[in-house]
Amino acid sequence: MCGVLTGDLGVAADWTAKTNHVPGMELRAPYTLFAEGSRGHIGKELIDRFKLDEGRDPQHYALGIKELWQVSPERHRPGLVIHGSGWPLTDAQGGFFMYHGDNQQLAVGLIVDLNYRNPWLSPFDEFQRLKHHPLLARYLYDGKRLAFGARALTKGGLNSLPRMTMPGAMLLGCNAGTLNGGKIKGIHTAMKSGMLAADTLFNSLTDPQINHQATQAHFNRAFKASWLRKELEQSKSFIPALHKLGPWLGGAFNYLHHNWLGGKLPFALHDRTPDHVRLEPADRHSKIPYARPDGVVSFDRLSSVYLANTSHHEDQPCHLRLADPQIPLQSNLPLYQEPAQRYCPAGVYEIVTQAGEPHFQINAANCVHCKACDIKDPAQNIRWTPPEGGSGPNYPNM
Ligand code: SF4
């Protein structure tokens, strides 16, 4: 790796140069650190090209959907934290949260593991259903939604963590997968991976004798000796236990493993099936009857996208690329009833009828950049790429 090439600006939807066209810039650097967050589009290519995941379990992901609310003073409990799992996710695993913050605001959200089997499942609609639970709804009545957002999480843990170094570059934080699934926390671990990289590169850049190989070896030693590796080691079976044993048995295993055995066991559990492979044909499952949103506690996709402050320049190439444009209609529709219509929380993918024929429509301007389509498409046919600079959701308080 010798740096990055930024994208061209001012390219029209038909790929021709507009009058404001500015070619991309080549930024060269002795080392480039990639910290794009979960399912980074460059990170994905680096993992593939440098075979960083060789010998590891496949990575696992979840989709998090969150809203920020302004609630009435009598319903606000500053400092209240609610965590839970189970309902409404009967066909998937995951959990929910509600955090009461300052200024009569609270955040409510649902995390849905993306290894679910039922293609009728819609994480967005599960979240709308969740908010009707009396435990949460009683805080939301008379309230007002302020913001909406969605984002994938990388949660495979140590078993799925790729090598984080390659000649001239490092892959850090959730781009690699340093989140601790057992603690449901990833900021402290992502920061630590960045600090280890900074220490390593300070040595390399101040000593011309240190080459790329020595730099990689230094980072790997520092990572092995760090509390980050120790923490991930202790929880490396947490996610595989839930995936393989289910929430009850897996939950019991995790409780014993963490609280009684201190995360020390002479063996580790693994989940070696990628999330997209788990999806099963639609005719093996029943359709999930989601209620219509009531406009008080639950809402539709489009009004939610509006609250994500999403803005994309209309005249630009579609940033959601299909490797094979035939797959949505030729295989995803007959087999899975095209699940992109449901796993995308922003209503980007639609099957519409034109002249009596089904047509796969991509409403790219709605995209909130969650990356679920890049992860969950059963044929791995959708590639998320960055739209023109600055386009996308704007999450000021999320
Ligand atoms: S198009 Fe893909 S990345 Fe964009 S919101 Fe939908 S699922 Fe997320």
Side-chain angles (χ1 to χ4, degrees):
M1 288 296 301
C2 55
V4 291
L5 184 63
T6 66
D8 286 9
L9 299 177
V11 179
D14 62 0
W15 292 95
T16 55
K18 294 193 276 191
T19 49
N20 62 345
H21 177 252
V22 181
M25 282 179 286
E26 193 175 304
L27 302 171
R28 289 187 169 259
Y31 291 95
T32 311
L33 306 183
F34 292 91
E36 306 166 278
S38 181
R39 193 72 166 197
H41 81 288
I42 304 175
K44 181 179 153 184
E45 280 193 41
L46 294 175
I47 291 170
D48 194 38
R49 187 169 304 190
F50 290 96
K51 299 192 176 8
L52 302 178
D53 57 352
E54 212 164 40
R56 269 57 165 190
D57 292 355
Q59 189 55 270
H60 296 286
Y61 299 90
L63 175 63
I65 305 178
K66 177 177 164 186
E67 285 175 352
L68 188 68
W69 282 66
Q70 183 93 43
V71 295
S72 58
E74 59 276 15
R75 297 185 189 277
H76 190 228
R77 305 278 180 278
L80 177 67
V81 170
I82 301 174
H83 279 164
S85 63
W87 193 88
L89 294 175
T90 49
D91 279 36
Q93 292 188 22
F96 63 85
F97 61 85
M98 179 180 269
Y99 303 132
H100 287 239
D102 297 329
N103 306 322
Q104 289 166 229
Q105 291 184 0
L106 62 81
V108 56
L110 179 69
I111 312 288
V112 181
D113 288 1
L114 286 176
N115 66 339
Y116 62 81
R117 294 168 196 269
N118 183 349
W120 295 107
L121 188 136
S122 159
F124 177 87
D125 292 297
E126 295 288 337
F127 175 53
Q128 302 310 316
R129 187 150 70 159
L130 165 76
K131 289 182 287 174
H132 283 279
H133 193 290
L135 180 70
L136 306 179
R138 62 181 157 162
Y139 299 111
L140 302 177
Y141 291 127
D142 327 322
K144 182 177 175 236
R145 279 195 314 165
L146 300 178
F148 167 89
R151 188 69 174 92
L153 329 170
T154 316
K155 56 182 263 289
L158 191 63
N159 293 340
S160 306
L161 189 70
R163 270 191 300 120
M164 295 161 79
T165 55
M166 63 215 94
M170 292 181 190
L171 198 63
L172 303 172
C174 289
N175 209 359
T178 54
L179 180 138
N180 183 342
K183 282 190 175 173
I184 337 175
K185 285 184 170 61
I187 294 175
H188 67 303
T189 47
M191 285 172 68
K192 182 64 180 175
S193 71
M195 291 154 80
L196 293 172
D199 282 344
T200 302
L201 294 189
F202 183 79
N203 284 333
S204 302
L205 295 172
T206 49
D207 183 350
Q209 306 295 327
I210 301 180
N211 60 20
H212 280 169
Q213 268 179 337
T215 304
Q216 291 180 66
H218 183 285
F219 179 88
N220 293 335
R221 273 197 309 276
F223 175 67
K224 249 188 183 161
S226 69
W227 59 255
L228 168 58
R229 160 80 201 218
K230 195 172 160 211
E231 197 179 305
L232 294 180
E233 177 75 38
Q234 285 172 347
S235 61
K236 69 181 176 188
S237 291
F238 189 91
I239 297 297
L242 292 171
H243 285 190
K244 298 210 82 100
L245 306 174
W248 293 105
L249 207 53
F253 172 91
N254 283 334
Y255 177 78
L256 287 173
H257 185 207
H258 281 261
N259 297 334
W260 290 34
L261 303 172
K264 293 188 186 106
L265 270 182
F267 61 89
L269 299 181
H270 294 268
D271 177 1
R272 297 198 168 95
T273 308
D275 293 344
H276 68 275
V277 174
R278 293 262 182 211
L279 203 70
E280 293 177 345
D283 59 12
R284 285 199 215 158
H285 294 270
S286 318
K287 210 168 171 176
I288 304 176
Y290 293 113
R292 289 174 72 86
D294 68 354
V296 177
V297 165
S298 51
F299 301 90
D300 64 6
R301 279 177 166 80
L302 289 187
S303 67
S304 303
V305 170
Y306 176 75
L307 289 177
N309 285 320
T310 302
S311 102
H312 293 92
H313 301 294
E314 284 292 335
D315 188 17
Q316 64 171 304
C318 177
H319 71 283
L320 301 152
R321 312 263 162 84
L322 301 180
D324 179 349
Q326 310 301 327
I327 282 179
L329 293 181
Q330 278 185 0
S331 68
N332 280 359
L333 185 59
L335 265 178
Y336 307 103
Q337 292 297 315
E338 186 41 271
Q341 299 176 92
R342 292 171 293 279
Y343 62 62
C344 171
V348 169
Y349 302 103
E350 282 183 292
I351 301 286
V352 296
T353 306
Q354 288 179 350
E357 295 293 325
H359 172 74
F360 186 62
Q361 180 167 300
I362 303 179
N363 307 309
N366 286 1
C367 178
V368 295
H369 300 189
C370 74
K371 312 284 180 77
C373 53
D374 198 290
I375 297 163
K376 192 59 179 172
D377 180 70
Q380 293 292 277
N381 187 43
I382 302 176
R383 190 161 70 97
W384 185 95
T385 63
E388 185 159 315
S391 290
N394 181 9
Y395 298 140
N397 296 317
M398 293 281 277

